[in-house]
Amino acid sequence: MAAQAAGGKAEHVRVAVIGSGFGGLGAGVRLRREGVTDFVILERADAVGGTWRDNTYPGCACDVPSHLYSFSFARNAEWPRSFSGQPDIRAYLEKVTDTFGLRPHLRFGAEVRGARWNGEESHWELDTAAGRWTADMVVSATGPLSDPQIPDVPGLADFPGKVFHSSRWDHDYDLAGKRVAMVGTGASAIQIVPSIQPLVKRLTVLQRTPAWVMPRMDRPLTGLERKLHGVLPATSAARRGLLWIIREMQVGAFVKRPVMMKTVEQLAKNHLYRAVKDKELRAKLLPDYTIGCKRILLSNTYYPALTRPNCEVVASGLKEVRGSSVVASDGTEREVDAIVFGTGFHVTDMPIAHRVTGARGTTLAEEWKEDGMRALRGTTVDGFPNFLMIIGPNTGLGNSSMILMIESQLNYMADYLRTLDRTGHKALQPTAAAVREWTDGVQKAMETTVWKTGGCNSWYLDDKGRNTTAWPGTTGAFRKATRNVALSEYEPVPAGTSAAPAPARAGLPVPAAAGEGAA
């Protein structure tokens, strides 16, 4: 399967996977385990790793324990720390790629510029920077943390200094002795700030909303621990299982009884009070919303860095850039040499949605414009036959490992392929009624969650205030919900026809995975 020359004849594969992060590589492993070897993994960059390849900023690390933030089928006995850093996670993904024989399937420099469903041929047509492919099925694993979002700030284009996003760190630019503005106080920023604070002349942290920060229970793993996990894999499995159980037990507070978060909130307050003695600074850093409404951050070094003489917290967002100065929303102005944006990613408006055109001749973005992102079991969308998403709408987590959700969707993908083979259908699409019932059930379950009741405006919400990102249940519930493809929720799409919306079907169950007792 040689890469196609631009404009050359399209090569046909059974499955085209978009992206080579955890989702894309996991899909490749699962396809091979299902006996499917006729597939490609299309990657726009020149190496695997996804967000763990792109994010190389100082201090970059995961906020989920290493033994849980890894594939169940590829447990790693050599994690160096309980919470590992970016280089170790990327090395792990490279190892997975080699161990499971995925190199021959990878196509680098193959950014997908467009994917269109051909109803006459019942296949997808993909135009990429490395040529053209057709595929019976497309698995989009681009991930929600792949395309950086920099706000449209007046005057930014005329700033004479250095500007970059945390996920596109410029390692050639030396921050030593510079006056730096850090815009944002999210998960990336709280790792960057303590890493660069000792280097810079002046660090101005522009904080629109303070974050709840908990202690980071990180430590090096001993040689004995690593040896034990290598010699007795069951010990690694037990460690992973315990970490999973602890996080499953926390879900009720997030999704059903947010009042229980008050205990956690007090622990976070104690963490703040111990590190920050200055009352004025402490007041700036104390959130006024329920903990968990925004992602809970973990750090032992963030607060101490903010107390240093060369660091200033401005409790106001960035309003404009005026010459070489940043102007906060409170009107105050600071002259800086560099601006670093830790302002997140395009999550609720994923860019790939603008490039995928379904059977009705509309893109995913157009289909989602009015009611927000939606997909049956976070994976499939009506009007888009044989198109599956890994980490699709409402599959995000606030307290556990996304790898658990990814593996559940890989199970669903595998059964989707088996269902096509068993039924003899070339293509399936979910009915509009099934997608609607599932989405309504998820949104109903969302009403009691801390994300809805906690009093904050988070990146989980789209521009209409709808939470199309988070999963309002346990990872176990989602695993049950994606165990098998239910044919009652799908209809075949014969060749030569469009995938028009199916008529509503009565009697479809409210998706149990959105609440207790999922099946």
Side-chain angles (χ1 to χ4, degrees):
M1 290 186 287
Q4 301 300 297
K9 183 180 179 181
E11 177 186 350
H12 184 77
V13 293
R14 187 175 187 192
V15 182
V17 179
I18 307 175
S20 69
F22 268 98
L25 295 179
V29 172
R30 191 56 187 268
L31 286 171
R32 288 184 62 88
R33 287 189 161 188
E34 291 293 314
V36 178
T37 57
D38 184 16
F39 69 91
V40 291
I41 302 174
L42 304 172
E43 170 55 56
R44 66 184 178 185
D46 59 0
V48 302
T51 192
W52 295 107
R53 174 201 59 234
D54 296 341
N55 285 270
T56 61
Y57 60 78
C60 183
C62 190
D63 59 2
V64 176
S66 303
H67 288 86
L68 194 59
Y69 197 78
S70 48
F71 290 120
S72 63
F73 54 79
R75 292 192 297 273
N76 181 19
E78 293 300 318
W79 288 120
R81 305 189 64 87
S82 50
F83 289 81
S84 292
Q86 176 267 339
D88 298 305
I89 298 173
R90 182 176 178 184
Y92 168 77
L93 290 172
E94 293 281 0
K95 183 177 180 180
V96 167
T97 302
D98 292 327
T99 300
F100 293 93
L102 299 181
R103 296 284 176 195
H105 301 278
L106 285 162
R107 302 292 181 270
F108 294 122
E111 180 174 5
V112 175
R113 298 183 291 214
R116 177 178 292 272
W117 175 254
N118 183 327
E120 293 295 324
E121 301 294 334
S122 292
H123 66 212
W124 285 92
E125 298 175 345
L126 298 99
D127 174 43
T128 83
R132 298 184 298 118
W133 276 268
T134 60
D136 296 333
M137 188 167 85
V138 169
V139 177
S140 178
T142 57
L145 306 182
S146 56
D147 290 275
Q149 180 168 262
I150 294 180
D152 185 14
V153 179
L156 182 61
D158 298 321
F159 178 66
K162 193 68 178 179
V163 178
F164 52 87
H165 190 273
S166 60
S167 67
R168 301 294 185 267
W169 196 269
D170 189 342
H171 292 278
D172 293 329
Y173 182 76
D174 186 5
L175 291 176
K178 300 295 197 304
R179 298 164 300 176
V180 180
M182 180 76 231
V183 183
T185 53
S188 299
I190 71 158
Q191 296 178 342
I192 294 169
V193 166
S195 298
I196 68 173
Q197 175 270 320
L199 305 174
V200 304
K201 179 179 180 180
R202 184 75 180 168
L203 179 58
T204 301
V205 179
L206 291 160
Q207 171 191 273
R208 187 173 58 182
T209 308
W212 284 108
V213 182
M214 291 284 288
R216 184 179 178 86
M217 309 302 288
D218 187 27
R219 65 173 179 83
L221 296 178
T222 66
L224 179 60
E225 286 176 289
R226 296 198 297 272
K227 183 176 181 180
L228 183 63
H229 291 331
V231 174
L232 295 175
T235 62
S236 176
R239 186 175 197 151
R240 178 186 177 89
L242 179 60
L243 290 168
W244 172 73
I245 289 171
I246 292 171
R247 279 153 181 76
E248 290 290 273
M249 292 173 64
Q250 298 169 352
V251 172
F254 279 86
V255 305
K256 288 291 184 182
R257 295 171 292 277
V259 68
M260 295 173 63
M261 300 298 289
K262 291 298 180 182
T263 302
V264 183
E265 200 167 284
Q266 188 58 53
L267 294 174
K269 285 182 180 179
N270 293 342
H271 184 52
L272 169 62
Y273 295 163
R274 281 193 300 268
V276 180
K277 304 304 180 183
D278 182 89
K279 291 184 178 180
E280 184 177 347
L281 176 58
R282 185 187 290 174
K284 291 180 181 180
L285 299 174
L286 184 63
D288 62 358
Y289 55 87
T290 303
I291 192 170
C293 185
K294 288 176 175 282
R295 188 171 181 90
I296 301 172
L297 308 182
L298 306 178
S299 179
N300 300 327
T301 56
Y302 178 61
Y303 286 149
L306 298 181
T307 67
R308 299 297 185 258
N310 68 331
C311 191
E312 178 189 14
V313 177
V314 180
S316 183
L318 177 61
K319 180 182 179 181
E320 65 175 302
V321 176
R322 190 178 298 156
S324 60
S325 296
V326 292
V327 182
S329 297
D330 63 6
T332 59
E333 186 174 343
R334 279 87 177 166
E335 191 169 2
V336 296
D337 303 304
I339 304 173
V340 179
F341 283 93
T343 46
F345 300 85
H346 289 277
V347 176
T348 60
D349 57 341
M350 56 178 70
I352 192 67
H354 295 273
R355 304 183 184 192
V356 178
T357 303
R360 293 191 282 264
T362 52
T363 64
L364 266 176
E366 291 169 333
E367 293 281 339
W368 289 342
K369 184 176 181 180
E370 294 301 320
D371 298 321
M373 300 193 304
R374 63 192 187 279
L376 176 62
R377 305 183 187 274
T379 310
T380 56
V381 182
D382 57 295
F384 293 79
N386 288 7
F387 179 81
L388 285 74
M389 288 176 286
I390 306 298
I391 316 184
N394 290 115
T395 59
L397 298 175
N399 75 311
S400 193
S401 172
M402 282 306 303
I403 312 307
L404 300 169
M405 303 295 278
I406 288 172
E407 290 196 28
S408 293
Q409 291 191 284
L410 297 181
N411 290 343
Y412 198 72
M413 176 196 74
D415 197 58
Y416 193 103
L417 283 165
R418 290 193 292 264
T419 300
L420 289 175
D421 291 340
R422 184 176 67 252
T423 61
H425 298 312
K426 290 197 68 175
L428 294 170
Q429 69 158 346
T431 66
V435 176
R436 183 171 58 253
E437 293 260 2
W438 173 264
T439 303
D440 289 348
V442 169
Q443 292 304 319
K444 181 179 180 181
M446 199 71 71
E447 291 298 318
T448 59
T449 68
V450 69
W451 308 306
K452 188 76 172 181
T453 65
C456 75
N457 182 25
S458 73
W459 58 265
Y460 298 132
L461 309 179
D462 63 18
D463 57 4
K464 295 182 180 179
R466 185 183 179 99
N467 191 329
T468 58
T469 304
W471 167 244
T474 64
T475 62
F478 190 74
R479 177 65 58 96
K480 292 179 182 179
T482 51
R483 182 172 294 159
N484 302 108
V485 169
L487 274 176
S488 61
E489 295 179 330
Y490 284 84
E491 64 179 1
V493 182
T497 63
S498 64
R505 297 183 182 181
L508 278 174
V510 173
E516 303 283 347

